[in-house]
Amino acid sequence: MSTPAVPTVKLANGASIPRLGLGTWPMSDDQAEVAVAQAVEAGYRLVDTAYAYGNEDGVGRGLRASGVPREELFVTTKLNGEWHGYQAAQEAFQASAGRLGLDYVDLYLIHWPLPSRDRFVDAWKGLVKLLEDGRVRAIGLSNFKPAHIDRVLAETGVVPDVNQIELNPTVTRNATRAYNTEHGIVTQSWSPIGRGGALLAEPVITDLGERYGKTPAQIVLRWHMELGLITVPKSADPDRMRANLDIFDFALTADEVGAISGLDQGEAAATDSDVFGH
Ligand SMILES: NC(=O)c1ccc[n+]([C@@H]2O[C@H](COP(=O)([O-])OP(=O)(O)OC[C@H]3O[C@@H](n4cnc5c(N)ncnc54)[C@H](OP(=O)(O)O)[C@@H]3O)[C@@H](O)[C@H]2O)c1
């Protein structure tokens, strides 16, 4: 199977990110080492990890084992809640970069806003410093709602490159997506195929799979592309990794995209980041 190259999108602070990459939760270090090397071999250039996944070491080993030059790779990791602070965020970044074995990271995200602690603006200032110092190519947020981003913008004026949020046809996140777009923030979907569960058996998805000769996961990933999203499906299986990347040779019509979006269960079905986070 020959897989077309993954297109990239330009981010607010100047970097370019592949529109599709590999998620690595919940892989162990050893699983991530193997999967990341296999994914890069299959054509992936973006890998998504986090301090909280406990696999930054393994991701770094897999990237080195791939033999692909560093500048062709795009690595995302995330700041955990105990380091929400200006200095603390920079120190946590240094530790993550060390585990990854990288002298810079492409994208650093605040993993969750944790609004009850009210420290995310200070953390954001730490990420802005890392960007200014050239330690990261892009900075962003994860699981931030419009009200949280309003504060980031009002108090720093620095536009986040990315907001990575839970998003798939059952949780379409219309309000947050529209807000991100309006502010020049690229929306990145997590759990893009609904963790491989019931979503992939929905008739609207399986019927389109038959129409296009594609798997249900490929139909759902193409839906993300049609909506202008970027995403990081996780797979530890080389065949599924390759298939998940093989979505750039067909397109869904606007009606088909609308029919898939009809699976939306509303904002209440999404993880509530005013309540949950780490
Ligand atoms: N920012 C955040 O708070 C946050 C939260 C959750 C996740 N994430 C990131 O987003 C990534 C993706 O989200 P996710 O892992 O929750 O869910 P996902 O990517 O929607 O689904 C992954 C699951 O689907 C299976 N799968 C993969 N490809 C498949 C295919 N073609 N057909 C059928 N099943 C398939 C995988 O199993 P196999 O491995 O066996 O293929 C795995 O069990 C994570 O890995 C992580 O990097 C971020």
Side-chain angles (χ1 to χ4, degrees), residues 25 48 142-143 164 191 193 195 232 234-236 240 244:
W25 178 86
D48 181 90
S142 181
N143 302 299
Q164 184 185 99
S191 290
I193 56 170
R195 302 213 158 132
V232 286
K234 176 264 177 184
S235 182
R240 284 195 286 275
N244 291 348

Side-chain angles (χ1 to χ4, degrees), residues 11-256:
L11 299 172
N13 294 304
S16 289
I17 186 170
R19 295 193 62 196
L20 192 141
L22 183 77
T24 67
W25 178 86
M27 296 179 190
S28 67
D29 273 321
D30 288 346
Q31 290 167 333
E33 178 177 0
V34 173
V36 166
Q38 287 171 333
V40 176
E41 166 73 24
Y44 286 77
R45 292 296 177 265
L46 160 61
V47 177
D48 181 90
T49 182
Y51 165 82
Y53 303 168
N55 63 18
E56 290 172 314
D57 269 306
V59 167
R61 289 201 297 269
L63 292 170
R64 286 190 292 283
S66 77
V68 168
R70 169 68 184 98
E71 63 274 15
E72 293 178 22
L73 300 168
F74 191 107
V75 182
T76 302
T77 191
K78 311 187 192 86
L79 175 73
N80 219 51
E82 58 264 53
W83 298 292
H84 279 200
Y86 178 71
Q87 285 296 342
Q90 295 174 68
E91 288 162 17
F93 169 80
Q94 196 57 43
S96 279
R99 280 185 293 273
L100 285 159
L102 299 175
D103 55 9
Y104 72 90
V105 164
D106 295 277
L107 174 62
Y108 198 40
L109 304 176
I110 301 178
H111 205 149
W112 290 88
L114 300 169
S116 62
R117 293 192 203 167
D118 197 15
R119 299 279 289 151
F120 63 77
V121 174
D122 288 336
W124 181 246
K125 290 176 182 168
L127 268 61
V128 172
K129 180 75 164 72
L130 290 166
L131 183 68
E132 288 167 356
D133 290 349
R135 308 303 316 282
V136 296
R137 296 281 151 92
I139 51 175
L141 311 170
S142 181
N143 302 299
F144 276 52
K145 296 183 182 183
H148 309 138
I149 309 176
D150 276 342
R151 285 197 47 208
V152 165
L153 293 175
E155 296 184 41
T156 71
V158 180
V159 176
D161 286 296
V162 166
N163 187 18
Q164 184 185 99
I165 57 172
E166 182 180 14
L167 202 165
N168 65 53
T170 66
V171 279
T172 61
R173 313 301 302 277
N174 294 335
T176 304
R177 268 198 296 129
Y179 178 99
N180 289 344
T181 303
E182 184 190 331
H183 291 86
I185 302 165
V186 170
T187 303
Q188 188 175 49
S189 311
W190 65 256
S191 290
I193 56 170
R195 302 213 158 132
L199 168 65
L200 300 184
E202 287 287 347
V204 62
I205 308 281
T206 56
D207 287 354
L208 286 167
E210 280 170 31
R211 183 176 307 168
Y212 287 104
K214 291 285 181 183
T215 67
Q218 288 172 322
I219 296 294
V220 173
L221 291 168
R222 187 67 216 180
W223 172 88
H224 290 269
M225 297 300 111
E226 304 298 354
L227 290 178
L229 303 165
I230 68 175
T231 188
V232 286
K234 176 264 177 184
S235 182
D237 176 273
D239 289 336
R240 284 195 286 275
M241 279 179 201
R242 273 190 291 276
N244 291 348
L245 204 60
D246 186 20
I247 59 164
F248 297 101
D249 61 351
F250 78 112
L252 299 169
T253 68
D255 283 350
E256 291 164 347

